[in-house]
């Protein structure tokens, strides 16, 4: 597997090189972009919301448990949940989940088109298929996924509230006070930078897996799995690198 | 006219095309025939540039097709129509949107003009009025015909068909053959058809090339088949005992 890595990386770069060129027809590309935006956004909002609320709730409860009987004031919980969601949990979790949902879906859609000779048919028409298939998806993902992440962070904070304040572990005013403590807009910027990078990784890696799929349904299934696995590994790797880069001064 | 010169293609260690030279003529139906696995599809895909040959040259009139950069390649391809073995209609689009797709992408025409052209192409293939159906809602034979309509929508000079008859009943097969022949005559296209359907060979074979294990085994007109003493050709065309017997009865020789 590993010795094939440079080959795949080179081919991936070449696909991107072809994909990021001038569209033959802006209207057709735009139409496809809107369709993808709709698919990614509407199709994922429920699962993202569900996960985010639970992430916030669980983090809130765990910190109540952890801080109990310590010298750290309880209102810190609002602050911890907020920053945990904004900086790490929302961008990373959302994108890991979207890699499984949106990414594998892109792989099987494009892979199916490759196997049923749809891509060949487009090539014969004179279309730049790498561009037509990859560009609208990437743009749609870059437009929608950061919004989903922002929604996710908000819902996580609400989830934390629901899990800690409602059962009476913490007072309403403490949680809100925590939310307003040590607020740093730079963290939100970091959240968006992460979202853009992760969204780019998961779409392009998934498109790559679909675009170069071999024939047969076994290969298609394998490609979808690989899209998720590679996206996830690369997202986590990028997460680490971004944190190192963005938090060093 | 499309011409190939000493085309070779290997996948790994296996050589699939072993030096093929051929000329496909304008305004004629050029057939590539041969047993399953002979290399027909690989040759056809090499002709349109979906497969890059290991060596050899493909000429479109006086354009060296093998040496074109991506941009010029796409320009030549605007002039190519292709019917795929599985029709390759886009599932998410209606019949009309499928046929309109090349125009939507490349032509500055009004919607009304495009619609008119779609209706005309559907009429050519005898399928008026199915504009709003989805590919999944029509039969395989109809899909093939829609595939033909889409292939000819930009009035190409070159028409490629990969197994246009596979999976169709003999009657529908003949209909498709007639259609392709008609388009070839009317539009003066260079038509290249990949087939192992004997009815097609004897029906519309004007320039036939028999491929065997990646090599040219025979070339000629359908009229020359009966009298040819090429073993490979005879065993390919008259494969079944029934046909062999029929031929012996009719012509009195083996
Ligand atoms: N992408 C590929 N990789 C490796 N081998 C291939 C590839 N494509 C085709 N081949 C091999 O090339 C040979 C010729 O295949 P081809 O599809 O051209 O046959 P064909 O004449 O079209 O047969 P059929 O009538 O069954 O469609 C086969 O042995 C096939 O295994
Ligand atoms: Mg074939």
């Amino acid at each position: 597997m590993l010795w094939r890595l440079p080959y795949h990386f080179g081919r991936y770069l070449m696909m991107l090189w072809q994909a990021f060129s001038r569209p033959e027809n802006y209207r057709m590309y735009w139409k496809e972009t809107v369709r993808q935006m709709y698919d990614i956004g509407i199709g994922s909002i429920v699962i993202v919301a569900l996960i985010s609320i639970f992430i916030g709730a669980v983090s809130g409860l765990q910190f109540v448990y952890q801080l109990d009987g310590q010298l750290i004031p309880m209102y810190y919980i609002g602050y911890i949940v907020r920053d945990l969601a904004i900086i790490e949990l929302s961008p990373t979790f959302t994108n890991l989940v979207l890699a499984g949902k949106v990414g594998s879906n892109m792989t099987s859609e494009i892979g199916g088109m490759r196997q049923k000779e749809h891509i060949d048919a487009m090539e014969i028409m004179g279309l730049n298929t790498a561009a037509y298939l990859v560009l609208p998806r990437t743009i749609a993902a870059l437009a929608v996924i950061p919004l989903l992440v922002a929604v996710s962070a908000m819902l996580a904070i609400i989830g934390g509230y629901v899990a800690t304040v409602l059962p009476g572990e913490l007072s309403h005013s403490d949680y809100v006070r925590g939310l307003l403590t040590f607020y740093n807009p730079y963290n939100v910027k970091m959240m968006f930078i992460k979202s853009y990078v992760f969204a780019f990784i998961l779409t392009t890696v998934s498109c790559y897996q679909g675009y170069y799929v071999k024939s047969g349904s076994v290969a298609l299934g394998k490609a979808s799995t690989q899209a998720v696995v590679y996206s996830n590994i690369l997202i986590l790797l990028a997460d680490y690198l971004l944190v190192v880069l963005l938090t060093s001064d | 006219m499309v011409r190939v010169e000493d085309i070779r293609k290997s996948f790994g260690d296996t050589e699939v095309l072993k030096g093929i030279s051929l000329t496909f003529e304008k305004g004629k139906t050029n057939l590539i025939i041969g047993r399953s696995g002979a290399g027909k599809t690989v040759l056809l895909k090499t002709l349109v540039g979906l497969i890059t040959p290991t060596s050899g040259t493909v000429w479109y009139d006086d354009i060296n097709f093998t040496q074109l950069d991506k941009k010029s390649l796409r320009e030549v391809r605007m002039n190519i129509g292709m019917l795929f073995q599985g029709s390759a209609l886009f599932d998410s689009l209606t019949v009309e949107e499928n046929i309109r797709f090349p125009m939507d992408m490349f032509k500055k025409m009004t919607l009304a003009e495009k619609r008119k052209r779609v209706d005309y192409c559907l009429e050519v293939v005898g399928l008026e009025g199915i504009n709003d159906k989805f590919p999944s809602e029509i039969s395989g034979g109809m899909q093939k015909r829609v595939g033909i309509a889409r292939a000819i929508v930009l009035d190409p000079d070159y028409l490629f068909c990969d197994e246009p008859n596979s999976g169709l009943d003999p009657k529908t097969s003949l209909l498709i053959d007639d259609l392709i022949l008609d388009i070839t005559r009317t539009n003066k296209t260079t038509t290249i058809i990949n087939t192992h359907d004997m009815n097609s060979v004897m029906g519309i074979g004007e320039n036939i090339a028999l491929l065997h294990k990646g090599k040219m085994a025979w070339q000629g007109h359908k009229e020359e088949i009966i009298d040819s003493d090429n073993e490979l050709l005879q065993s390919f065309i008259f494969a079944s005992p029934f046909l062999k017997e029929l031929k012996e009865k009719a012509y009195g020789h083996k």
Side-chain angles (χ1 to χ4, degrees):
Chain A
M1 250 1 268
L2 228 51
W3 81 96
R4 299 271 293 167
L5 229 53
Y7 166 76
H8 283 295
F9 187 63
R11 206 165 56 155
Y12 167 80
L13 288 184
M14 262 161 60
M15 183 193 80
L16 290 186
W17 172 253
Q18 289 212 13
F20 291 90
S21 53
R22 235 187 102 233
E24 289 90 345
N25 180 322
Y26 284 95
R27 258 197 70 240
M28 293 292 278
Y29 276 64
W30 177 240
K31 223 172 109 183
E32 185 65 10
T33 307
V34 172
R35 185 173 82 90
Q36 295 296 335
M37 275 160 63
Y38 186 85
D39 274 6
I40 299 171
I42 306 295
S44 315
I45 186 75
V46 173
I47 179 87
V48 167
L50 206 68
I51 287 167
S52 309
I53 289 172
F54 275 97
I55 286 177
V58 172
S59 328
L61 279 182
Q62 292 212 333
F63 278 104
V64 167
Y65 168 72
Q66 222 173 312
L67 299 189
D68 197 26
Q70 294 193 5
L71 288 178
I72 301 167
M74 281 310 260
Y75 76 82
Y76 263 48
I77 286 167
Y79 150 66
I80 290 172
V81 169
R82 182 199 70 207
D83 274 5
L84 207 57
I86 291 179
I87 301 175
E88 175 61 17
L89 294 182
S90 280
T92 311
F93 260 76
T94 305
N95 279 286
L96 290 179
V97 169
L98 289 183
K101 190 176 176 300
V102 175
S104 70
N105 185 32
M106 283 179 183
T107 304
S108 37
E109 192 180 343
I110 296 179
M113 293 179 75
R114 165 69 74 197
Q115 293 189 338
K116 287 184 279 177
E117 296 183 311
H118 293 183
I119 296 184
D120 285 349
M122 288 181 180
E123 279 286 333
I124 295 299
M125 290 173 191
L127 194 65
N128 178 350
T129 53
Y132 183 65
L133 296 172
V134 178
L135 204 54
R137 283 175 172 80
T138 310
I139 290 173
L142 290 180
V144 173
I145 291 181
L147 292 180
L148 286 175
V149 170
V151 169
S152 155
M154 247 149 42
L155 290 175
I157 290 168
I158 293 173
Y161 181 92
V162 170
T164 55
V165 178
L166 293 194
E169 305 275 1
L170 193 69
S171 74
H172 167 82
S173 56
D174 267 356
Y175 193 82
V176 173
R177 183 173 162 209
L179 287 184
L180 300 176
T181 310
F182 308 125
Y183 176 68
N184 185 354
Y186 180 74
N187 292 345
V188 176
K189 196 169 147 195
M190 204 141 66
M191 174 185 84
F192 278 116
I193 292 176
K194 280 185 172 187
S195 307
Y196 283 116
V197 173
F198 298 167
F200 184 84
I201 291 174
L202 86 85
T203 20
T204 51
V205 168
S206 306
C207 288
Y208 171 80
Q209 290 291 341
Y211 195 73
Y212 288 107
V213 74
K214 301 231 164 57
S215 59
S217 50
V218 174
L220 189 56
K222 200 173 142 207
S224 294
T225 314
Q226 274 176 347
V228 179
V229 172
Y230 288 137
S231 299
N232 283 352
I233 292 173
L234 288 173
I235 284 173
L236 292 172
L237 209 67
D239 191 25
Y240 176 76
L241 291 177
L242 280 175
V243 170
V244 171
L245 268 175
L246 295 172
T247 56
S248 66
D249 5 48
Chain B
M1 185 198 70
V2 177
R3 197 156 53 85
V4 294
E5 264 174 18
D6 197 29
I7 288 283
R8 287 169 189 278
K9 176 68 190 177
S10 307
F11 294 105
D13 292 338
T14 41
E15 195 169 38
V16 176
L17 299 179
K18 299 168 182 160
I20 297 200
S21 301
L22 262 173
T23 302
F24 304 101
E25 289 162 47
K26 184 178 163 69
K28 281 195 182 171
T29 46
N30 303 274
L31 268 53
I32 303 168
I33 62 174
R35 303 254 304 267
S36 190
K40 303 184 295 292
T41 301
V42 173
L43 178 58
L44 204 72
K45 288 197 169 167
T46 308
L47 287 174
V48 294
L50 290 174
I51 291 178
T52 317
T54 314
S55 70
T57 321
V58 179
W59 295 87
Y60 278 69
D61 294 316
D62 45 14
I63 298 171
N64 183 339
F65 188 73
T66 349
Q67 303 231 306
L68 295 178
D69 59 70
K70 281 256 169 197
K71 195 163 161 282
S72 331
L73 179 74
R74 291 196 182 110
E75 272 160 27
V76 175
R77 279 186 175 162
M78 303 259 198
N79 215 352
I80 295 178
M82 184 154 176
L83 172 65
F84 285 85
Q85 191 159 349
S87 300
L89 300 177
F90 310 136
D91 324 298
S92 61
L93 304 180
T94 63
V95 165
E96 167 166 329
E97 286 166 337
N98 262 286
I99 302 176
R100 227 172 56 202
F101 189 89
M103 292 189 282
D104 282 342
M105 200 51 104
F106 299 112
K107 293 286 175 210
K108 292 205 162 46
M109 297 160 77
T110 64
L111 188 61
E113 286 170 327
K114 289 184 212 163
R115 286 231 163 102
K116 215 173 133 200
R117 179 74 189 157
V118 169
D119 286 339
Y120 171 77
C121 291
L122 276 175
E123 196 187 309
V124 169
V125 300
L127 288 175
E128 298 95 328
I130 64 159
N131 302 47
D132 297 327
K133 290 235 188 306
F134 281 91
S136 56
E137 298 169 346
I138 59 178
S139 75
M142 287 160 96
Q143 288 177 12
K144 284 257 155 93
R145 287 191 274 167
V146 173
I148 294 178
R150 186 178 66 182
I152 62 169
V153 73
L154 295 184
D155 229 336
D157 287 330
Y158 310 96
L159 182 63
F160 293 82
C161 308
D162 193 4
E163 315 254 358
N165 304 315
S166 70
L168 299 181
D169 64 277
K171 258 260 163 47
T172 315
S173 262
L174 287 180
L175 196 108
I176 301 260
D177 283 348
D178 284 346
L179 197 57
I180 294 172
L181 186 64
D182 230 37
I183 291 164
T184 308
R185 291 277 188 274
T186 330
N187 302 359
K188 294 267 174 301
T189 55
T190 303
T191 304
I192 301 172
I193 305 164
N194 191 334
T195 187
H196 40 205
D197 186 285
M198 277 322 103
N199 288 322
S200 306
V201 177
M202 300 315 269
I204 59 170
E206 293 178 302
N207 177 24
I208 305 167
L210 173 68
L211 227 57
H212 184 74
K213 293 188 176 159
K215 283 198 181 124
M216 282 289 302
W218 183 82
Q219 194 178 7
H221 191 272
K222 62 180 180 189
E223 319 262 271
E224 298 163 353
I225 289 179
I226 300 288
D227 293 324
S228 158
D229 51 13
N230 186 305
E231 284 285 332
L232 284 169
L233 180 71
Q234 293 301 324
S235 71
F236 177 72
I237 301 275
F238 304 101
S240 71
F242 171 68
L243 282 177
K244 256 186 219 133
E245 201 177 311
L246 216 61
K247 180 189 162 207
E248 274 160 32
K249 284 215 172 97
Y251 295 93
H253 57 82
K254 88 163 167 75

